[in-house]
Amino acid sequence: MLSVYSLASGYGPAKVLFDVSFTVKAGEVVTLIGRNGMGKTTTIRTIMGLLSPSSGRMVFEGERLNGLPPYRIAQAGIGLVPEGRQVFPTLTVEENLVATAAARFGPPRWTLAGVYELFPVLSERRRNQGNELSGGEQQMLAIGRALMTNPKLLILDEATEGLAPLIRAEIWACLARLKAEGQAILLVDKHIDPLLRLADHHVVIEKGSVVWTGDSNDLTSDPYVRRRYLQI
Ligand SMILES: Nc1ncnc2c1ncn2[C@@H]1O[C@H](COP(=O)(O)OP(=O)(O)O)[C@@H](O)[C@H]1O
Ligand SMILES: [Mg+2]
Protein backbone atom coordinates (compact mmCIF):
# COMPACT_ATOMS: atom_id res chain seq x y z
CA MET A 1 0.00 0.00 0.00
CA LEU A 2 2.69 2.49 1.11
CA SER A 3 6.33 2.02 0.18
CA VAL A 4 9.01 4.42 1.34
CA TYR A 5 12.44 3.90 -0.24
CA SER A 6 15.60 5.41 1.12
CA LEU A 7 14.00 8.68 2.10
CA ALA A 8 16.15 11.68 3.01
CA SER A 9 14.53 14.89 4.24
CA GLY A 10 14.80 17.76 6.68
CA TYR A 11 14.11 21.40 7.35
CA GLY A 12 15.99 23.52 4.84
CA PRO A 13 19.69 23.04 5.49
CA ALA A 14 19.00 20.93 8.61
CA LYS A 15 19.18 17.30 7.45
CA VAL A 16 17.10 15.08 9.68
CA LEU A 17 16.30 11.92 7.68
CA PHE A 18 19.09 10.07 5.92
CA ASP A 19 17.84 6.63 4.98
CA VAL A 20 14.27 5.68 5.83
CA SER A 21 12.71 2.68 4.08
CA PHE A 22 9.66 0.67 5.09
CA THR A 23 6.35 -0.61 3.76
CA VAL A 24 2.79 -0.80 5.01
CA LYS A 25 0.63 -3.43 3.35
CA ALA A 26 -3.17 -3.36 3.17
CA GLY A 27 -4.72 -4.14 6.55
CA GLU A 28 -1.41 -3.92 8.44
CA VAL A 29 -0.57 -1.97 11.55
CA VAL A 30 3.04 -0.76 11.41
CA THR A 31 4.85 1.31 14.04
CA LEU A 32 7.71 3.79 13.85
CA ILE A 33 9.69 3.45 17.07
CA GLY A 34 12.56 5.61 18.27
CA ARG A 35 13.57 8.01 20.98
CA ASN A 36 12.65 11.71 20.92
CA GLY A 37 14.17 13.65 18.06
CA MET A 38 15.06 10.59 15.94
CA GLY A 39 12.90 11.63 12.99
CA LYS A 40 9.51 9.93 13.36
CA THR A 41 7.43 13.09 12.96
CA THR A 42 9.72 14.29 10.17
CA THR A 43 9.09 11.00 8.33
CA ILE A 44 5.34 11.51 8.67
CA ARG A 45 5.52 15.17 7.59
CA THR A 46 7.49 14.15 4.51
CA ILE A 47 4.98 11.44 3.59
CA MET A 48 2.14 13.97 3.97
CA GLY A 49 3.87 16.43 1.62
CA LEU A 50 4.53 19.02 4.34
CA LEU A 51 8.29 18.66 3.76
CA SER A 52 10.05 17.93 0.46
CA PRO A 53 12.40 14.96 0.46
CA SER A 54 15.90 15.65 -0.84
CA SER A 55 16.08 12.08 -2.15
CA GLY A 56 14.22 8.79 -1.99
CA ARG A 57 10.82 7.69 -3.19
CA MET A 58 7.35 7.39 -1.66
CA VAL A 59 4.70 5.34 -3.46
CA PHE A 60 1.11 4.93 -2.28
CA GLU A 61 -1.17 2.49 -4.08
CA GLY A 62 1.02 2.72 -7.15
CA GLU A 63 1.04 6.54 -7.17
CA ARG A 64 4.26 8.45 -6.60
CA LEU A 65 3.80 10.90 -3.73
CA ASN A 66 7.02 12.91 -4.22
CA GLY A 67 6.18 16.50 -5.08
CA LEU A 68 2.43 16.24 -4.46
CA PRO A 69 0.88 18.92 -2.24
CA PRO A 70 -0.63 17.80 1.09
CA TYR A 71 -4.26 18.01 -0.08
CA ARG A 72 -3.51 15.65 -2.99
CA ILE A 73 -1.90 13.18 -0.62
CA ALA A 74 -5.00 13.33 1.60
CA GLN A 75 -7.15 12.78 -1.51
CA ALA A 76 -5.01 9.78 -2.45
CA GLY A 77 -6.22 8.23 0.82
CA ILE A 78 -3.80 9.02 3.64
CA GLY A 79 -5.42 10.45 6.79
CA LEU A 80 -3.28 12.06 9.50
CA VAL A 81 -3.86 12.46 13.22
CA PRO A 82 -1.04 14.96 13.79
CA GLU A 83 1.20 15.33 16.81
CA GLY A 84 -0.53 17.72 19.23
CA ARG A 85 -4.04 16.97 17.82
CA GLN A 86 -4.53 20.36 16.20
CA VAL A 87 -8.32 20.39 16.19
CA PHE A 88 -9.86 23.64 14.93
CA PRO A 89 -10.36 25.52 18.25
CA THR A 90 -13.23 27.78 17.23
CA LEU A 91 -15.20 25.23 15.20
CA THR A 92 -17.67 22.94 16.93
CA VAL A 93 -17.06 19.21 17.15
CA GLU A 94 -19.48 18.65 14.31
CA GLU A 95 -17.91 21.38 12.17
CA ASN A 96 -14.46 19.87 12.79
CA LEU A 97 -15.74 16.51 11.57
CA VAL A 98 -17.57 17.84 8.53
CA ALA A 99 -14.67 20.12 7.55
CA THR A 100 -12.57 17.20 6.29
CA ALA A 101 -15.31 14.80 5.20
CA ALA A 102 -14.53 13.21 1.86
CA ALA A 103 -16.27 10.40 0.07
CA ARG A 104 -14.17 8.02 -1.96
CA PHE A 105 -15.59 5.57 -4.48
CA GLY A 106 -19.01 4.31 -3.47
CA PRO A 107 -20.60 4.86 -0.08
CA PRO A 108 -18.07 6.12 2.46
CA ARG A 109 -17.16 3.85 5.36
CA TRP A 110 -17.09 6.79 7.76
CA THR A 111 -19.92 9.25 8.28
CA LEU A 112 -20.84 11.52 11.21
CA ALA A 113 -23.07 8.76 12.59
CA GLY A 114 -20.22 6.25 12.39
CA VAL A 115 -17.78 8.52 14.21
CA TYR A 116 -20.39 9.29 16.90
CA GLU A 117 -20.95 5.56 17.36
CA LEU A 118 -17.18 5.00 17.71
CA PHE A 119 -16.83 7.91 20.17
CA PRO A 120 -20.22 8.55 21.85
CA VAL A 121 -18.75 11.42 23.88
CA LEU A 122 -18.26 13.38 20.64
CA SER A 123 -21.96 13.10 19.94
CA GLU A 124 -22.74 14.58 23.37
CA ARG A 125 -20.28 17.40 22.69
CA ARG A 126 -21.25 17.98 19.05
CA ARG A 127 -22.18 21.64 19.64
CA ASN A 128 -19.10 22.44 21.76
CA GLN A 129 -16.10 24.19 20.23
CA GLY A 130 -12.80 22.38 19.88
CA ASN A 131 -11.23 24.54 22.58
CA GLU A 132 -13.94 23.53 25.09
CA LEU A 133 -12.99 19.85 24.98
CA SER A 134 -10.74 17.88 27.33
CA GLY A 135 -7.47 16.49 25.97
CA GLY A 136 -9.00 13.05 25.49
CA GLU A 137 -12.03 14.46 23.69
CA GLN A 138 -9.77 16.51 21.43
CA GLN A 139 -7.79 13.39 20.60
CA MET A 140 -10.95 11.48 19.75
CA LEU A 141 -12.03 14.41 17.60
CA ALA A 142 -8.67 14.39 15.82
CA ILE A 143 -9.10 10.68 15.09
CA GLY A 144 -12.72 11.15 14.02
CA ARG A 145 -11.71 13.99 11.74
CA ALA A 146 -9.04 11.83 10.07
CA LEU A 147 -11.56 8.99 9.66
CA MET A 148 -14.02 11.37 7.99
CA THR A 149 -11.59 11.56 5.06
CA ASN A 150 -12.23 7.81 4.69
CA PRO A 151 -8.51 7.10 4.53
CA LYS A 152 -7.06 3.89 3.17
CA LEU A 153 -4.10 4.48 5.47
CA LEU A 154 -4.50 6.18 8.84
CA ILE A 155 -1.37 7.73 10.39
CA LEU A 156 -1.32 8.60 14.09
CA ASP A 157 1.57 10.59 15.59
CA GLU A 158 1.63 10.22 19.39
CA ALA A 159 -2.12 9.97 19.69
CA THR A 160 -2.04 8.96 23.37
CA GLU A 161 0.48 11.62 24.44
CA GLY A 162 -0.52 13.36 27.67
CA LEU A 163 -3.74 11.38 28.18
CA ALA A 164 -4.91 9.63 31.36
CA PRO A 165 -4.58 5.81 31.34
CA LEU A 166 -8.33 5.23 31.01
CA ILE A 167 -8.57 7.51 27.98
CA ARG A 168 -5.48 5.91 26.46
CA ALA A 169 -7.13 2.52 26.85
CA GLU A 170 -10.14 3.84 24.98
CA ILE A 171 -7.93 5.01 22.10
CA TRP A 172 -6.18 1.63 21.98
CA ALA A 173 -9.53 -0.17 21.92
CA CYS A 174 -10.63 2.06 19.05
CA LEU A 175 -7.45 1.28 17.10
CA ALA A 176 -7.88 -2.46 17.72
CA ARG A 177 -11.39 -2.21 16.35
CA LEU A 178 -10.19 -0.33 13.26
CA LYS A 179 -7.51 -2.96 12.69
CA ALA A 180 -10.08 -5.76 13.01
CA GLU A 181 -12.05 -4.03 10.25
CA GLY A 182 -8.96 -4.11 8.03
CA GLN A 183 -7.90 -0.47 8.39
CA ALA A 184 -4.19 0.00 7.58
CA ILE A 185 -2.49 2.09 10.27
CA LEU A 186 0.95 3.67 10.69
CA LEU A 187 1.52 4.43 14.32
CA VAL A 188 3.98 6.40 16.44
CA ASP A 189 3.57 6.10 20.20
CA LYS A 190 5.66 6.01 23.37
CA HIS A 191 3.60 3.26 25.02
CA ILE A 192 5.31 0.14 23.82
CA ASP A 193 3.09 -2.59 25.32
CA PRO A 194 -0.06 -1.70 23.39
CA LEU A 195 2.08 -1.30 20.24
CA LEU A 196 3.47 -4.81 20.73
CA ARG A 197 -0.07 -6.20 20.96
CA LEU A 198 -1.49 -4.28 18.04
CA ALA A 199 1.22 -4.07 15.40
CA ASP A 200 2.15 -6.49 12.62
CA HIS A 201 5.61 -5.07 12.44
CA HIS A 202 7.85 -2.37 13.82
CA VAL A 203 10.34 -0.03 12.19
CA VAL A 204 13.02 1.40 14.48
CA ILE A 205 14.46 4.80 13.54
CA GLU A 206 17.70 6.15 14.98
CA LYS A 207 19.15 9.51 13.98
CA GLY A 208 17.12 9.62 10.79
CA SER A 209 17.79 6.11 9.53
CA VAL A 210 15.93 2.83 9.86
CA VAL A 211 18.14 0.54 11.91
CA TRP A 212 15.85 -2.43 12.57
CA THR A 213 12.59 -3.95 11.33
CA GLY A 214 10.71 -6.95 12.65
CA ASP A 215 7.56 -8.21 14.33
CA SER A 216 6.62 -7.98 18.00
CA ASN A 217 8.04 -11.41 18.70
CA ASP A 218 11.41 -10.48 17.15
CA LEU A 219 11.42 -7.28 19.14
CA THR A 220 10.73 -8.82 22.54
CA SER A 221 12.37 -12.24 22.27
CA ASP A 222 15.89 -10.99 21.55
CA PRO A 223 17.36 -9.49 24.74
CA TYR A 224 19.90 -7.45 22.78
CA VAL A 225 17.29 -5.93 20.48
CA ARG A 226 15.01 -5.28 23.43
CA ARG A 227 17.65 -3.49 25.43
CA ARG A 228 19.03 -1.60 22.46
CA TYR A 229 15.73 -0.32 21.06
CA LEU A 230 13.17 -0.50 23.84
CA GLN A 231 15.41 0.06 26.88
CA ILE A 232 13.57 -2.80 28.68
N1 LIG B 1 10.72 22.73 12.33
C1 LIG B 1 11.94 22.23 12.51
N2 LIG B 1 13.05 22.88 12.11
C2 LIG B 1 14.29 22.38 12.28
N3 LIG B 1 14.54 21.19 12.89
C3 LIG B 1 13.49 20.50 13.33
C4 LIG B 1 12.13 20.96 13.17
N4 LIG B 1 11.30 20.03 13.70
C5 LIG B 1 12.08 19.06 14.17
N5 LIG B 1 13.39 19.32 13.95
C6 LIG B 1 14.53 18.45 14.32
O1 LIG B 1 14.45 17.23 13.60
C7 LIG B 1 14.87 16.15 14.42
C8 LIG B 1 13.80 15.08 14.39
O2 LIG B 1 12.60 15.58 14.96
P1 LIG B 1 11.25 14.78 14.91
O3 LIG B 1 11.06 14.20 13.57
O4 LIG B 1 10.19 15.70 15.41
O5 LIG B 1 11.54 13.62 15.95
P2 LIG B 1 10.59 12.57 16.67
O6 LIG B 1 9.21 12.73 16.11
O7 LIG B 1 11.20 11.24 16.38
O8 LIG B 1 10.65 12.90 18.14
C9 LIG B 1 15.14 16.73 15.79
O9 LIG B 1 16.53 16.89 15.92
C10 LIG B 1 14.46 18.06 15.77
O10 LIG B 1 15.15 18.99 16.57
MG1 LIG C 1 7.43 13.32 17.04
Side-chain angles (χ1 to χ4, degrees), residues 40-41 83 157-158 188:
K40 304 177 300 291
T41 297
E83 201 171 28
D157 194 354
E158 311 255 11
V188 173

Side-chain angles (χ1 to χ4, degrees), residues 39-90:
K40 304 177 300 291
T41 297
T42 304
T43 300
I44 290 170
R45 287 193 187 132
T46 307
I47 293 168
M48 293 310 295
L50 300 163
L51 295 170
S52 306
S54 50
S55 62
R57 221 151 34 97
M58 304 170 289
V59 178
F60 182 68
E61 301 252 281
E63 183 180 7
R64 199 180 148 96
L65 298 182
N66 297 58
L68 295 182
Y71 79 91
R72 284 277 299 109
I73 290 170
Q75 280 173 355
I78 305 185
L80 174 65
V81 179
E83 201 171 28
R85 297 158 200 149
Q86 299 175 27
V87 302
F88 303 120
T90 61

